[in-house]
Amino acid sequence: MIVVAGEALIDLVPQSGTGDPLAPLLPARGGGPYNTAVALGRLGADVAFCSRVSTDAFGTALVSHLEKEGVAVDLVQRGAEPTTLAVASVAEGGSATYTFYTEGSADRLFTAPAQFPSGVRALSVGTCSLVLEPGASAYEHLMRRESARGVFVALDPNIRAGLIPDADAYRARFESWLPYVSLLKLSEEDAEWLGGGIEGWLAAGPSAVVVTRGGAGLTAFTAMGDGPHAVPGVDVEVVDTIGAGDTVNAALLHALDSRDRLSRDGLAGLGPADWSDVLRFAARAAAVTCSRAGAEPPYGVEL
């Protein structure tokens, strides 16, 4: 089983095609970890979501959708606090920026479960959940604990700079996570914001770093030094890019899991042809998501 831990929220997305900045905002299920869990469920993975979700109407819709998509919710905590909201602004090219409303929201009060079920092979974390306290410290504890147990840890920082009050402190904290991380996946923009460099990150712990480059594709760098391994993007008419990175995250995990490679040694044993197959699968999955409005990742049969 793959456990995805982190926030579930509601994106408020402008109605497409109006060109009016005050057009009605349409609610959509979101949050980087939530989207990753849904994408894994649609791809057919054995996946569970670990978070704290509101008991309000939005939270109920979020949990119901997870169940519909085959995602286990036994690790989901519930609370009366409101659901986090993210107001999306979509640029002409389809890229999105967000304004978050997080004060007193349910996901911030997450506490780490005493233990995971037997059979958990991988943990995926990232995005707002590793920024907003006190939940951030709980997710960090979970990451360190499960890594010590030999669980494969995937990290997607998915930077939301507007939520980070002290950039230097966050960058230092990010580097402190790397010894516990097996796979680091991040966008080109995230890598630039974080500074540092891929060689230094690999030396700190991860077996591989995968960088997404939008329409230009994906590149994997490995601690073995046998890369980089790069594939081009898949041409598609882009509606928006919401959830594309989360889909990549899910597709990488699913592709590795299906090859029995969810371990540090498993990543080290991937050859150029393997990396090409894994990255191309992720690129195809992301292209489908970009062809749809909102975070709507593909089902396995579509790929």
Side-chain angles (χ1 to χ4, degrees):
M1 174 183 285
I2 299 171
V3 173
V4 183
E7 79 279 354
L9 52 79
I10 293 295
D11 289 325
L12 297 176
V13 184
Q15 184 176 350
S16 61
T18 66
D20 181 1
L22 296 180
L25 296 172
L26 305 178
R29 303 169 188 90
Y34 183 88
N35 294 338
T36 297
V38 169
L40 279 164
R42 290 187 175 187
L43 291 173
D46 182 11
V47 56
F49 189 57
C50 180
S51 184
R52 180 180 171 87
V53 178
S54 177
T55 55
D56 65 14
F58 284 144
T60 298
L62 287 163
V63 173
S64 296
H65 189 62
L66 288 171
E67 294 174 317
K68 173 179 174 290
E69 300 295 353
V71 180
V73 297
D74 297 347
L75 295 172
V76 173
Q77 304 159 19
R78 305 300 298 273
E81 307 81 19
T83 298
T84 293
L85 302 179
V87 179
S89 176
V90 180
E92 189 171 327
S95 61
T97 56
Y98 300 88
T99 301
F100 292 89
Y101 296 86
T102 65
E103 192 64 33
S105 57
D107 52 81
R108 297 188 68 162
L109 299 181
F110 170 79
T111 57
Q115 62 182 20
F116 277 162
S118 60
V120 172
R121 303 181 61 201
L123 169 66
S124 175
V125 292
T127 316
C128 308
S129 56
L130 288 170
V131 175
L132 299 171
E133 296 288 7
S137 291
Y139 286 113
E140 180 178 311
H141 166 74
L142 198 61
M143 175 170 53
R144 293 172 185 263
R145 185 189 78 190
E146 294 305 306
S147 177
R149 290 201 313 118
V151 170
F152 182 98
V153 174
L155 170 64
D156 178 7
N158 202 2
I159 300 299
R160 300 294 184 233
L163 287 177
I164 301 173
D166 186 334
D168 289 339
Y170 178 86
R171 292 181 181 114
R173 193 173 189 182
F174 162 77
E175 292 184 0
S176 77
W177 298 328
L178 296 180
Y180 307 94
V181 173
S182 307
L183 173 65
L184 172 63
K185 173 261 163 188
L186 71 175
S187 70
E188 204 168 26
E189 295 79 12
D190 289 344
E192 181 179 355
W193 188 92
L194 285 165
I198 290 169
E199 289 186 5
W201 296 338
L202 286 169
S207 293
V209 175
V210 174
V211 179
T212 61
R213 307 183 187 279
L218 299 89
T219 303
F221 303 84
T222 70
M224 298 290 290
D226 58 342
H229 308 285
V231 301
V234 175
D235 288 337
V236 66
E237 185 174 341
V238 176
V239 175
D240 64 50
T241 62
I242 297 173
D246 309 322
T247 299
V248 167
N249 204 32
L252 291 173
L253 290 168
H254 181 63
L256 292 171
D257 189 31
S258 66
R259 291 164 172 78
D260 197 25
R261 296 289 188 173
L262 280 181
S263 68
R264 289 182 182 271
D265 289 343
L267 280 183
L270 289 175
D274 299 311
W275 272 114
S276 179
D277 288 345
V278 169
L279 296 175
R280 288 182 187 279
F281 178 74
R284 292 198 306 274
V288 173
T289 300
C290 289
S291 71
R292 301 167 172 170
E296 289 294 341
Y299 292 90
V301 294
E302 297 180 86
L303 301 175

